[in-house]
Amino acid sequence: MSLTEFKLLRPRTLNEAIAFLAKHGSDIRVLAGGTDIIPSMRQKLFEPHYMLDLRRIAELRGIRSKPGEGVEIGALTTLSEIERSSHLKQQYSVLTEAAATVASPVLRNMGTIGGNICLDTRCLWYNQSLQWRKACGFCIKKDGDLCHVAPGGSKCWAAFSADTPPALLCLNAEIEIAGPDGARRLPLRDFYTGLGDAYRKLQPNELLTRIFLPESSENYTGVYRKLRVRGSIDYPLAGVAVTLRRTNGHVSDARVALTAVNPAPVLVKGASQALEGKPVDEALAELIGDLAARTAKPLTTSALTPEYRREMIRVFTKRAVLAAANN
Ligand SMILES: Cc1cc2nc3c(=O)[nH]c(=O)nc-3n(C[C@H](O)[C@H](O)[C@H](O)COP(=O)(O)OP(=O)(O)OC[C@H]3O[C@@H](n4cnc5c(N)ncnc54)[C@H](O)[C@@H]3O)c2cc1C
Ligand code: SF4
């Protein structure tokens, strides 16, 4: 599958990058590590005339500790850098654990945290060649008007399938979005729409620039568990992140988040309240597993059946809660 010809724009500053986005409107796409967008372009899911290569913008790289605030991560920081950061490993271990499960070492050397947060949603009917999609009459997410997964409906259910966002949700992360009118900061949980075809709140003239981990989320025990077909290299088919803090053997604060089973990464409803103030035992971990299985809405967008993926969310959540409590 060949790439359609495009012009590569390589700004050295953020301002230059924003100016390129403003100039080319919907005819330009952002390239960070390229590990997802390039294969998608080969499948003709995107055919822009311009590509904005961010990799020369030094200000978008790096992990910086901010005393009294937490940690700031540039959107272009690679997943390998995150995985290897001793500071993150010590203070925000759920993030390094999740980053270490993404794809394969080579892809983590190229792939960025910004690209992981902005990753397109996935579906068996969408991540296919043009010929394949054409033969099936296309679908709502690209070029068509029906959904093969939920026929009769008008919504796209493609699954959000990145590994680091559930960990970031558990850490109460915030992100910075830059555009022609300056920068805005918002909680990551407000970035996603829950719609498979318009999954993120990002205008075509905006860029994700930084991720903030608050100091108040330091030192939680964290666990990430992921279901995938090939252990060595694969997108998640179900994923769960847990962060937990205990005082005198009782949970004083906790969060549980899921990925790959909804069109957005989501915090499990009621999990924090159910855990707070209690010692963790089998029965409580099982209850959190049940809450997670209720939050998960897997459909036939992905390999493995929805029933199996939902059950694995239940099992992984229970195990992750017990593991976090015993860390
Ligand atoms: C074989 C294979 C296996 C994979 N397995 C996994 C996996 O297990 N888990 C997983 O999470 N991912 C997986 N991926 C996907 C991908 O490698 C990662 O998600 C990676 O983090 C994407 O980052 P990137 O920098 O390469 O993004 P790119 O491909 O450059 O971009 C991805 C998307 O984000 C947008 N984007 C990137 N940066 C910004 C920014 N700063 N501002 C605005 N928009 C931006 C791009 O325009 C594009 O839409 C896999 C990919 C392949 C090919
Ligand atoms: S969920 Fe439906 S509309 Fe969305 S990509 Fe899959 S088939 Fe297409």
Side-chain angles (χ1 to χ4, degrees), residues 123 125-126 139-141 146-150 155-158 301:
C123 177
W125 298 89
Y126 170 72
C139 75
I140 292 168
K141 187 159 163 71
L146 60 98
C147 175
H148 304 283
V149 167
K155 186 178 167 184
C156 168
W157 295 92
T301 52

Side-chain angles (χ1 to χ4, degrees), residues 29-39 46 51 54 60 75-76 79 101-104 107-108 110-120 122 161-165 191 199-200 202 206-209 226 228 230 233-236:
R29 298 291 305 194
V30 172
L31 174 86
T35 60
D36 193 72
I37 188 105
I38 297 293
F46 309 107
M51 287 297 283
L54 302 181
L60 293 185
L76 264 193
L79 294 164
T101 71
V102 174
S104 67
L107 289 166
R108 293 198 292 276
M110 293 291 291
T112 65
I113 181 94
N116 203 241
I117 291 171
C118 292
L119 192 68
D120 195 6
R122 298 182 63 77
S161 308
D163 286 300
T164 66
F191 182 57
Y199 61 99
R200 56 185 186 180
L202 189 75
E206 291 182 325
L207 281 174
L208 169 61
T209 45
K226 163 177 179 176
R228 52 181 159 180
R230 298 165 296 182
I233 171 172
D234 235 335
Y235 291 87

